[in-house]
Amino acid sequence: MKKLKWTGRALALSLAATLMLAGCSSGGSATTSAAGDSNAATTADGSNAAATTGDSTTTGTQTFDDVTLKMLICWNGGFKTASDQYNNEVAAAIREKTGVTIEFEGIMMSETEKLNLVFASGDMPDIINAPYWGGDGGETAVIKKAAREGQLLDIKDELPKYENLANAYDVGIVSQAFLENDLDDPTFNGARYILPQETPGDVADISNWAYGVFVRGDVAETLGVDPTTIKTSEQLLDFMTKARDYGFTDVNGNDIITATTFHEGWDYGQYAMNFNSKQATSFVMQDDGTYTYSTLTDNWIDSNLFIWKLVNEGILDKECFKQTDDLANQKVGNGTALFAAAQYSTVINATKLTGLYNSNPEMRYVPVGPLSYADGESAVQVELKGRNGSPAIIFPTSCSNLDASLTYINYVNSEEGARLCQYGIEGETYELNEDGQPRLIQSYLERKANGDSTVDDELREKGIGYILGRTLQADKRKTWWGESNAGDADAAVEELEAYKEARPVEQLAGYPLDKLAQSFEDYDTLKTYAFDDTTKNDYTQRAFFADTEEEARSILEDYQTYLTTQENGLFQEYLDYANEVAKTRDDVIN
Amino acid sequence: MLGTALIAQAAGTPAGKKRADLRKRIWQHRWLYLFILPCVIWLLVFCYYPMYGATLAFKNYSYKLGILNSPWAGLKHFRTFIYSPDFWRVIKNTLVISGLKLLFSFPAPILLALLLNEVQAVRFKRVVQTFSYLPNFVSWVVVVSLMNVIFSPYGGVINDLRKNAGLDSIFFMGSREYFYPMVILSDIWKNAGWGTIIYLSALTSVSPELYEAAAIDGAGRLKSTFYVTLPCIKGTIGIMFINAVGGLLNAGFDQILLLQQPDNQLISDILDTFVLKTGLSQGRFEYATAIGLFKSVLSLGLMTLANEVCKRTMEVSIF
């Protein structure tokens, strides 16, 4: 082979270098990003900003020198923010008060998976907000593991310094059971790692999620059915069957789907609400006064067989268990699905997205029922006294400035800070009414009342409307301002507010049995399979598609067998233990 | 000095002479060897360096202690997997899906390459080739989304046609009985065109004289294909077969995950989706690694077996 000339050598060298750089570029940028994340307390000019201008001992009121922090919003579905999180009106105003800016980042993957990834890779942000529902499953298990293994900062001695966060652990804001078993998990050895978030400041501040079954308004009218009279499963099935057979079309004249849900079957359980009872845990009391697990009862099988029937009779959308929210929005937004089960606001928003809400008001979805519990009592949203599980704000050891983080959160939890985050600048985006309560200016309210969803986008660009969602510790907005969200009082969706009254929040007093039973000796072994929703969903959803009712029943019974036979029947020991500890207190609820 | 003396001494022996020749040749073609460097570095960084992570399969992983310092757990995770009630079901599903792919998807590019090889109109051949490559660049997410739209029981093209013909609509994507056909057909659609590249290049090496000789002997196109073309590319087919068997337990993670529906769960849960569901999603990294390692060892065994079979029957092997 001829020797390569110098031009050839140069070409070879540059090609090789280019290939190497290309091969390493993604890894390189990831590394840079990781480093950037873990040392995210950088100023606008790129320098570190750990120094403060205030007295470091009076942390609750100190002001920092332009500290920027990263906060991971670990909730599947993303987190919409202003496109420029640093240069917007609200961020600038908060910075003026605290010297701190927080930049939020959402995720589009499973929360548990993301948390695992964050802690295992060490690529941690300054602050994380993630679900912390209590117990030992999913996200809670990961957060507890991270806390035990020294991946989180202890905030026990810090919280009392911040007046708006100091009462975060008060019973009433959080439940006694949540406090004892999860916030102060015995394995934390007295440390406190969790700042519970989205806890209600008062009963009026508890979010009513308005879950239920909803039907296209014209369907009920055409069939001559008053949907509010539907209370039982039989009545619901009869209503749905009539709707299926009538020959309705969607807004575009296409074939309909009788009933659907939103992403991955959320929330098909609403169709079977009539099989449930008012309870706060998965335990049910039997006729002899002892407790058993709801999954082991015949009622659980019957409830799932009802869903099987809906699928088998072509009523419930066969795609709904694996569909995305986008697809569900199309189905609901075009009126293709006659019935939808989820939160009412989600259903209404789907019709607003497509314009159906305004173009075809007769097709607006209206509530069915609310359905009753098995005992005939009207369904409600059950809550405990104080939250029994909540979103949690946690601070990984990578947090570059804990004081700055808490100062920021403390400020947005003050009335002044919260008003800034929710309404913006006085005179520009809101004004005070005669009661001294902030209200969006009239032009925004009118647009909101007309279903103009671009208002929210416009306000978001100013930094309004998203910060509180994941930073408000105790939600006092309703108490402060008479509305939880900007525009609620003046531009509220009437049907939504009416439905919230029809299916109100009800607080149950007492100590939940599932929390009490967490002290079971082999709980760690039990939790690896007994409270694993993935396996349970595999069985139940497989049953929904069985050819016959017998086959469906057999699959459901198989799951019951699986639960009771794993680990040499450990679950029965757990049930026995739960019944024993239930006798130790007189305020136990199921 | 001593080193130079030793090299000179070593170069005196036949083995040493061979090594010295090799070094000389490498130095002579150093500029060409430079092109291999990025690949070698890539291989070391992304394939060999992470291998130490396989030790996780024998540990109880702690976020804080990391892979190397976490405490040892012996074979606990392997035992958990082997004694899990899903073990045989997952292994069976993986082998069935891989076996079907080997049976139907593996020969598809060979067949397509042979057909393309027979096309005389060059421009037409190139257009068909180009179009057959395109699906390879479409991700499985897009492919399955398209399939969902086409086969949907609610407004999908296929079911609309069925309805117009007076037939009931079928939930193709969610029914057990249509799962395997959907897997195989979508796999062939996506990969067969791209797979022809290697066979088409092998076909260019077949001497035209052989076809001429076959024609003189009275062989038609079909017989030429069987007695000339296929024997000439059997080496390539053999190598590809060994690789395919090596990847037998990779039944196609993203494709299968996206095609999973409640009704086909029992037959669609393969090793990779099982790892995701019971390992990674729940943060049981050590368990997931154990299953992955188990799969790799089994794959190596299968590949060695296929290599032996090919060595004896087709006289080709990769080691």
Side-chain angles (χ1 to χ4, degrees), chain A residues 116 145 149 317 319 538, chain B residues 61 63-64 152 154 277 283:
Chain A
N116 272 314
K145 179 175 157 80
E149 295 182 5
D317 181 358
E319 294 178 330
D538 277 0
Chain B
Y61 180 59
Y63 294 139
K64 185 146 183 90
S152 170
Y154 313 110
K277 203 165 60 180

Side-chain angles (χ1 to χ4, degrees), chain A residues 36-109:
Chain A
D37 282 349
S38 58
N39 300 294
T42 49
T43 62
D45 63 1
S47 60
N48 282 332
T52 68
T53 54
D55 180 357
S56 61
T57 56
T58 55
T59 49
T61 53
Q62 68 180 309
T63 308
F64 291 81
D65 183 16
D66 202 2
V67 174
T68 300
L69 302 162
K70 300 275 184 195
M71 182 167 182
L72 178 72
I73 307 299
C74 196
W75 293 82
N76 193 356
F79 188 72
K80 285 185 181 174
T81 65
S83 44
D84 187 340
Q85 295 194 57
Y86 188 86
N87 294 307
N88 62 64
E89 292 166 21
V90 172
I94 297 175
R95 199 160 47 243
E96 198 177 306
K97 289 282 181 182
T98 64
V100 186
T101 308
I102 290 187
E103 293 183 348
F104 303 88
E105 186 189 343
I107 60 163
M108 295 294 276
M109 63 188 290

Side-chain angles (χ1 to χ4, degrees), chain A residues 201-383:
Chain A
D202 206 335
V203 178
D205 295 304
I206 298 175
S207 297
N208 184 330
W209 303 112
Y211 275 94
V213 175
F214 307 94
V215 62
R216 232 173 64 184
D218 61 322
V219 171
E221 200 174 326
T222 308
L223 295 175
V225 176
D226 176 1
T228 59
T229 63
I230 305 294
K231 298 290 178 187
T232 67
S233 302
E234 290 79 24
Q235 290 170 336
L236 180 64
L237 181 62
D238 183 50
F239 186 19
M240 291 172 124
T241 309
K242 280 181 187 161
R244 180 196 63 188
D245 298 337
Y246 184 82
F248 289 103
T249 58
D250 71 4
V251 70
N252 301 314
N254 296 321
D255 290 349
I256 53 94
I257 300 164
T258 310
T260 194
T261 65
F262 280 74
H263 68 270
E264 300 192 349
W266 180 70
D267 181 19
Y268 70 81
Q270 295 299 324
Y271 291 117
M273 178 54 71
N274 189 224
F275 290 87
N276 295 359
S277 54
K278 191 192 291 179
Q279 58 189 72
T281 72
S282 296
F283 285 93
V284 287
M285 188 179 272
Q286 302 178 105
D287 293 340
D288 62 359
T290 59
Y291 294 103
T292 187
Y293 209 61
S294 60
T295 313
L296 298 177
T297 62
D298 289 342
N299 188 56
W300 179 76
I301 290 186
D302 292 341
S303 150
N304 283 302
L305 286 180
F306 181 71
I307 303 294
W308 168 83
K309 187 177 248 184
L310 296 184
V311 174
N312 193 257
E313 295 192 1
I315 291 174
L316 185 57
D317 181 358
K318 290 179 175 173
E319 294 178 330
C320 75
F321 300 99
K322 289 284 175 183
Q323 76 184 356
T324 59
D325 271 336
D326 286 341
L327 188 56
N329 280 332
Q330 277 179 40
K331 288 174 178 174
V332 175
N334 291 319
T336 311
L338 303 183
F339 292 81
Q343 293 174 358
Y344 199 12
S345 57
T346 311
V347 175
I348 292 171
N349 283 342
T351 57
K352 283 187 174 176
L353 277 172
T354 55
L356 184 82
Y357 188 80
N358 288 326
S359 67
N360 296 69
E362 77 286 356
M363 282 188 164
R364 287 180 186 174
Y365 287 78
V366 296
V368 174
L371 295 176
S372 301
Y373 288 126
D375 62 4
E377 197 181 339
S378 193
V380 294
Q381 179 178 313
V382 172
E383 297 285 344

Side-chain angles (χ1 to χ4, degrees), chain A residues 62-201:
Chain A
Q62 68 180 309
T63 308
F64 291 81
D65 183 16
D66 202 2
V67 174
T68 300
L69 302 162
K70 300 275 184 195
M71 182 167 182
L72 178 72
I73 307 299
C74 196
W75 293 82
N76 193 356
F79 188 72
K80 285 185 181 174
T81 65
S83 44
D84 187 340
Q85 295 194 57
Y86 188 86
N87 294 307
N88 62 64
E89 292 166 21
V90 172
I94 297 175
R95 199 160 47 243
E96 198 177 306
K97 289 282 181 182
T98 64
V100 186
T101 308
I102 290 187
E103 293 183 348
F104 303 88
E105 186 189 343
I107 60 163
M108 295 294 276
M109 63 188 290
S110 142
E111 291 90 348
T112 309
E113 227 173 302
K114 180 66 183 180
L115 284 171
N116 272 314
L117 204 62
V118 164
F119 292 123
S121 66
D123 183 9
M124 302 186 285
D126 296 289
I127 315 167
I128 299 174
N129 184 307
Y132 192 74
W133 302 130
D136 277 283
E139 304 86 359
T140 309
V142 183
I143 292 172
K144 283 185 177 177
K145 179 175 157 80
R148 279 192 293 266
E149 295 182 5
Q151 298 283 81
L152 301 182
L153 295 176
D154 181 4
I155 53 173
K156 188 176 184 178
D157 297 331
E158 301 299 319
L159 283 183
K161 298 176 190 169
Y162 298 89
E163 56 178 344
N164 301 314
L165 310 177
N167 63 351
Y169 276 63
D170 286 1
V171 173
I173 287 177
V174 294
S175 74
Q176 182 80 33
F178 187 43
L179 177 67
E180 288 176 1
N181 296 287
D182 300 302
L183 296 175
D184 281 344
D185 186 295
T187 60
F188 291 171
N189 297 322
R192 283 184 165 168
Y193 302 102
I194 316 293
L195 177 59
Q197 193 251 328
E198 219 177 57
T199 52

Side-chain angles (χ1 to χ4, degrees), chain B residues 205-217 219 224 227-229 231-232:
Chain B
S205 66
V206 181
S207 168
E209 288 170 9
L210 291 175
Y211 290 113
E212 286 163 16
I216 292 166
D217 287 346
S224 292
Y227 296 109
V228 177
T229 314
C232 285

Side-chain angles (χ1 to χ4, degrees), chain A residues 295-495:
Chain A
T295 313
L296 298 177
T297 62
D298 289 342
N299 188 56
W300 179 76
I301 290 186
D302 292 341
S303 150
N304 283 302
L305 286 180
F306 181 71
I307 303 294
W308 168 83
K309 187 177 248 184
L310 296 184
V311 174
N312 193 257
E313 295 192 1
I315 291 174
L316 185 57
D317 181 358
K318 290 179 175 173
E319 294 178 330
C320 75
F321 300 99
K322 289 284 175 183
Q323 76 184 356
T324 59
D325 271 336
D326 286 341
L327 188 56
N329 280 332
Q330 277 179 40
K331 288 174 178 174
V332 175
N334 291 319
T336 311
L338 303 183
F339 292 81
Q343 293 174 358
Y344 199 12
S345 57
T346 311
V347 175
I348 292 171
N349 283 342
T351 57
K352 283 187 174 176
L353 277 172
T354 55
L356 184 82
Y357 188 80
N358 288 326
S359 67
N360 296 69
E362 77 286 356
M363 282 188 164
R364 287 180 186 174
Y365 287 78
V366 296
V368 174
L371 295 176
S372 301
Y373 288 126
D375 62 4
E377 197 181 339
S378 193
V380 294
Q381 179 178 313
V382 172
E383 297 285 344
L384 291 171
K385 295 272 184 198
R387 282 201 77 156
N388 199 37
S390 73
I393 298 174
I394 49 178
F395 305 89
T397 45
S398 58
C399 179
S400 51
N401 198 327
L402 182 61
D403 286 342
S405 307
L406 287 168
T407 298
Y408 181 99
I409 296 169
N410 183 58
Y411 177 67
V412 298
N413 273 277
S414 67
E415 196 276 337
E416 177 193 310
R419 181 150 36 98
L420 179 64
C421 295
Q422 177 141 313
Y423 297 96
I425 311 291
E426 188 178 354
E428 280 186 33
T429 45
Y430 81 92
E431 51 205 15
L432 297 176
N433 65 11
E434 60 272 21
D435 299 324
Q437 296 168 320
R439 291 291 179 266
L440 285 179
I441 57 173
Q442 199 56 34
S443 59
Y444 285 126
L445 287 175
E446 280 169 14
R447 285 169 63 192
K448 265 182 173 274
N450 291 331
D452 181 355
S453 57
T454 61
V455 180
D456 292 334
D457 299 335
E458 203 176 299
L459 291 172
R460 195 184 307 118
E461 284 305 307
K462 295 173 187 289
I464 299 170
Y466 60 88
I467 294 176
L468 293 185
R470 290 293 167 229
T471 54
L472 208 51
Q473 189 266 311
D475 190 350
K476 301 168 191 156
R477 288 177 293 179
K478 194 119 182 184
T479 311
W480 283 334
W481 311 317
E483 64 178 12
S484 292
N485 294 294
D488 274 3
D490 301 285
V493 181
E494 283 175 25
E495 58 267 37

